[in-house]
């Protein structure tokens, strides 16, 4: 087993040889998928990493620190460099300073790499920008031995994704040059695209058309940083590396599923962007749909990109887009007003910088979905996300059905709740299972207790940050954790009718005070079905 990450797959001593073989095959496949728990165990092949939007916020906050961290843990080769592209006028030296300001310069490996970073300034609509880029790429191939391989990273505003991709195609740098050396060192060209991928299904299809005019689907790496989170990947480990969970992971035992993505922050300095997005586009279409797909998909035959993404697509296809009447009954949208978080007074959404004073953009969404397939028919999937909720927390909870007959009635079982399996994606990453136990004493009184696994307590290995993991995967050509074109389509197909109902006024915009768990109406969504949201 390459990395031993889940080498704890237990093999029963009484198992037959073929059962033992099958168990170790599964373990080996999952080891491959979950490989980089030990930073430093994988190495990117040589290439130039080209960032569009290099002077922007995302590059400084996420991408440069992730690259620096990969350099520190020895995962970047010597034959590597970064080429920044942006409109801001900078020269190479000031770009290098900007990078070091974002990352610090304590690490030797990183300090050695940065002096060769290059910068191209220019308008993205201007052919001369791409001509300059072609020249710089030839120079870095010569000076840094990057071998004609490139990873392009689109960290610009989304409206530029298509135009940049087509310009790369037009200038002949979207395809890898012919291999000159041994096959294992064949040049490659890949393009990583940030979210949002389109504003709706039609927009995503139009963007795909532009992307595909220059790049093959196999070259396109659509990023959803949630897929890079260790605990999101752990959903796969929990489900498919353990014998005890999968048999009860279905409609016969699960009463309903709750997915919560809660943030305590407001829109910060991104009010202008958020006004054009809203919670449904910003979180539900991508992060929530990915988490739902991994949690509810069928077991993949293998852990390669195609097998896993095929299963995710099958699950998303089983979620019927709601019709307009259903949207009104099954979705709640709301916006935060002023309130208090951590004893601090915070303004309402309409008072945030860049937000219209009469804005109707939703900062909270609660939805009921269902997956109409053999495994999940009739099991409600409740999802909610919001800004300015009491705390930052992402979790998936499977609430199980009750026992067929409870012999302990009334007072004896008053403190007994349902069995719930909670996968805490962040923070305080872990898994908890609540179950009933007897309270010590003469009476047979029951109370719910929780068995809790904490990632931090169990492992000493340093996890990769989500961007680090995903950048390294893209460099290595592993697309498993990236979003395929048909996944994007299906996620928009589900969200599109809800977006229309939100914008045509057929659903009301509710209010909630910052620092609360959302509007009262979201509670009613579950209460009318005899259920309630978890209070994490
Ligand atoms: C981003 C959204 O995709 O995810 C932000 O655009 C949101 O609005 C962020 O704050 C949440 O990410 P995380 O990793 O903090 O849960």
């Amino acid at each position: 087993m390459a990395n031993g990450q889940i080498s704890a797959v237990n093999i029963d001593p009484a198992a037959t040889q073929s059962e033992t073989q099958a168990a170790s095959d599964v373990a080996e496949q999952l080891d491959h998928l979950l490989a980089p728990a030990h930073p430093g165990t994988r190495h990117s092949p040589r290439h130039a990493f080209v960032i569009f939007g290099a002077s922007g916020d995302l590059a400084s906050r996420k991408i440069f620190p992730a690259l620096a961290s990969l350099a520190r843990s020895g995962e970047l080769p010597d034959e590597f460099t970064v080429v920044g592209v942006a409109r801001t006028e900078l020269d190479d030296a000031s770009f290098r300073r900007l990078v070091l300001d974002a990352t610090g310069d304590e690490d030797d490996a990183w300090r050695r790499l940065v002096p060769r970073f290059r910068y191209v300034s220019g308008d993205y609509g201007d052919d001369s920008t791409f001509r300059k880029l072609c020249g710089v790429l030839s120079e870095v191939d010569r000076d840094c031995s990057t071998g004609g391989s490139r990873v392009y990273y689109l960290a610009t505003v989304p409206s530029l994704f298509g135009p940049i991709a087509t310009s790369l195609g037009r200038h002949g740098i979207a395809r890898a040059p012919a291999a000159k050396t041994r096959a294992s060192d064949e040049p490659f060209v890949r393009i990583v695209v940030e979210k949002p991928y389109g504003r709706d299904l039609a927009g995503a299809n139009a963007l795909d058309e532009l992307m595909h005019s220059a790049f093959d689907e196999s070259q396109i790496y659509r990023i959803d940083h949630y897929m890079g989170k260790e605990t999101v990947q752990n959903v796969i480990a929990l489900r498919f590396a353990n014998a005890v969970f999968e048999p009860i992971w279905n409609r016969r035992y699960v009463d309903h599923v709750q997915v919560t993505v809660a943030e305590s922050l407001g829109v910060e300095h991104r009010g202008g962007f958020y006004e054009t997005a809203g919670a449904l586009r910003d979180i539900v279409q991508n992060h929530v749909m990915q988490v739902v797909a991994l949690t509810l998909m069928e077991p993949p035959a293998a852990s390669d990109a195609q097998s896993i993404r095929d299963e995710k697509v099958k699950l998303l296809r089983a979620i019927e887009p709601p019709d307009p009447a259903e949207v009104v009954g099954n979705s709640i949208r709301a916006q935060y007003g002023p309130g208090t978080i951590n004893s601090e007074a915070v303004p309402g959404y309409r008072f945030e910088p860049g937000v219209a004073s009469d804005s109707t953009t939703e900062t909270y969404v609660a939805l009921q979905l269902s997956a109409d397939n053999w495994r999940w028919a009739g099991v409600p999937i409740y999802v909610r996300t919001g800004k300015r909720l009491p705390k930052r927390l992402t979790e998936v909870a499977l609430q199980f059905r009750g026992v067929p007959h409870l012999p302990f009635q009334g007072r004896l079982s008053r403190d007994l709740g349902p069995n719930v399996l909670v996968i805490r994606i962040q923070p305080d990453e872990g898994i908890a299972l609540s179950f009933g136990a007897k309270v010590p004493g003469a009476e047979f009184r029951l109370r719910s207790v929780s068995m809790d696994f904490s990632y931090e307590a169990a492992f000493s290995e340093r996890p990769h940050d989500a961007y680090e993991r995903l950048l390294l995967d893209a460099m290595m050509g592993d697309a498993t954790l990236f979003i395929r074109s048909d996944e994007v389509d299906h996620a928009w197909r589900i969200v599109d009718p809800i977006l229309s109902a939100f914008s045509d006024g057929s659903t009301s915009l509710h209010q909630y005070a910052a620092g609360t768990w959302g509007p009262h109406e979201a509670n009613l969504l579950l209460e009318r079905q005899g259920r309630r949201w978890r209070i994490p």
Side-chain angles (χ1 to χ4, degrees), residues 43-50 75-82 113 116 140-151 176-190 472 474-477:
H43 301 274
S44 154
R46 60 182 180 155
H47 70 282
F49 189 90
V50 184
E75 284 150 307
L76 294 182
D78 287 338
E79 301 91 352
F80 169 83
T81 195
V82 171
L113 283 177
R116 43 170 113 144
V140 302
D141 278 344
R142 184 195 62 210
D143 301 340
C144 308
S145 310
T146 39
S149 293
R150 294 106 186 51
V151 173
K180 293 194 197 93
T181 51
R182 56 191 190 282
S184 63
D185 197 22
E186 241 178 65
F188 58 84
V189 173
R190 304 187 183 116
L472 186 58
M475 293 171 182
M476 301 192 60

Side-chain angles (χ1 to χ4, degrees), residues 62 194-196 224-226 229 261-263 265-268 270 273-274 277-278 281-283 286-287 387 392-394 425-426 466-467:
K62 297 288 183 190
E194 264 294 332
K195 69 171 266 273
D224 181 319
H225 78 280
Y226 264 56
K229 291 182 192 275
V261 178
E263 295 185 84
L265 290 179
V267 287
E268 308 291 285
R270 296 165 72 228
F273 156 76
Y274 201 83
R281 283 195 177 94
D282 191 39
I283 301 280
N286 36 72
H287 307 327
K387 294 212 181 269
R392 174 173 184 253
L393 167 132
T394 300
I425 289 170
Q426 63 186 18
Y467 270 89

